[in-house]
Each structure stands twice: as C-alpha cells, then as structure tokens.
Amino acid sequence: MTDAKDERRPAGELEASVLAALWAADAPRTPGQVQLSLGASLARTTVTTILTRLYGKGVIGRRREGRGYAYFPVQDVQDAHGLTARRMHSELDRDSDRERVLARFVAQLSPGDERILRNLLESDGR
C-alpha cells in the first residue's frame, strides 16, 4: 500500500504546471480552463487554490469574469527564470536585514556562481 504522502508532488511542481498553462494560453484563463489544459486529475478547487496563492504572491494577475476570475501571468514573470527571480526577491523582502541576508547568500555561492554574479554586477546585470 502506497502512503498518500509519497504520492504528493514536490513543492512548486503544481504551481509550475499552472504557470506553464497560463504562459501557453493566448488569453486569461478561468480555473476550470486551467484544469482542462493540465489534463491531470486535479480538482478545480485545487487549481483555484493554486491560482489564488500565485495571485497573492504577485506572480499572476486576474480580472473579473462572471462570478469568478480569469488569471494571466504578469509581464515580469513570463518564464521560469522570471519566476525564480521573483521568488528570490520575495524571500529577500521577508527579512529586515537585507545586508546580512545578501552577505550570507554570497558567502554560500560556488566559485562559478560568484564569478557569474560578479560579471553581471559589473555589466549592470542586463
């Protein structure tokens, strides 16, 4: 017998799937439309919960459609890299001592990542 806990998806996998469905869409999508596009056996309420959480994080926007909402990705998070960058900013914003958080982050970088970060900072990060 398989433990239900073992069947759970890794953290973030559902969010990534929902975001991918929104990125692939040509217009805002309702939770029911997102559920259909995923082709998975997810309940609509689960999809709605994920969309609500993503909206709360500022990763997606929404507009009123009927009695509910239709959701769409925000412009600065149009890909997985944008989402990761947004998460990094969110985590940084949670701590009042930004300098200490950044110092610890940099101290834990591999030499290769440190070199990449240094190059990005020297070239204005663009």
Side-chain angles (χ1 to χ4, degrees):
M1 186 171 183
T2 305
D3 185 23
K5 187 177 179 183
D6 293 335
E7 294 177 15
R8 294 187 70 139
R9 296 179 190 207
E13 184 178 315
L14 285 176
E15 284 186 0
S17 296
V18 168
L19 278 171
L22 291 176
W23 290 327
D26 57 352
R29 295 288 185 232
T30 64
Q33 292 168 325
V34 173
Q35 177 193 23
L36 287 173
S37 69
L38 292 174
S41 59
L42 291 175
R44 189 184 57 74
T45 54
T46 300
V47 174
T48 301
T49 298
I50 294 165
L51 289 166
T52 302
R53 287 180 181 165
L54 289 170
Y55 175 76
K57 294 177 183 179
V59 175
I60 61 175
R62 68 182 182 192
R63 69 171 193 214
R64 179 65 75 179
E65 188 165 301
R67 294 187 308 165
Y69 293 99
Y71 296 85
F72 53 91
V74 296
Q75 293 302 314
D76 65 336
V77 188
Q78 289 291 318
D79 58 24
H81 302 303
L83 177 60
T84 301
R86 182 73 161 240
R87 283 186 195 149
M88 292 168 72
H89 278 285
S90 294
E91 289 300 319
L92 185 59
D93 290 343
R94 289 182 187 191
D95 197 298
S96 60
D97 192 347
R98 293 175 78 87
E99 184 174 349
R100 181 172 284 169
V101 172
L102 286 169
R104 291 223 177 151
F105 175 77
V106 170
Q108 295 174 1
L109 290 175
S110 69
D113 287 343
E114 187 176 334
R115 189 171 35 260
I116 291 169
L117 183 58
R118 188 176 311 281
N119 289 341
L120 287 169
L121 290 171
E122 289 171 359
S123 68
D124 196 25
R126 302 210 182 349

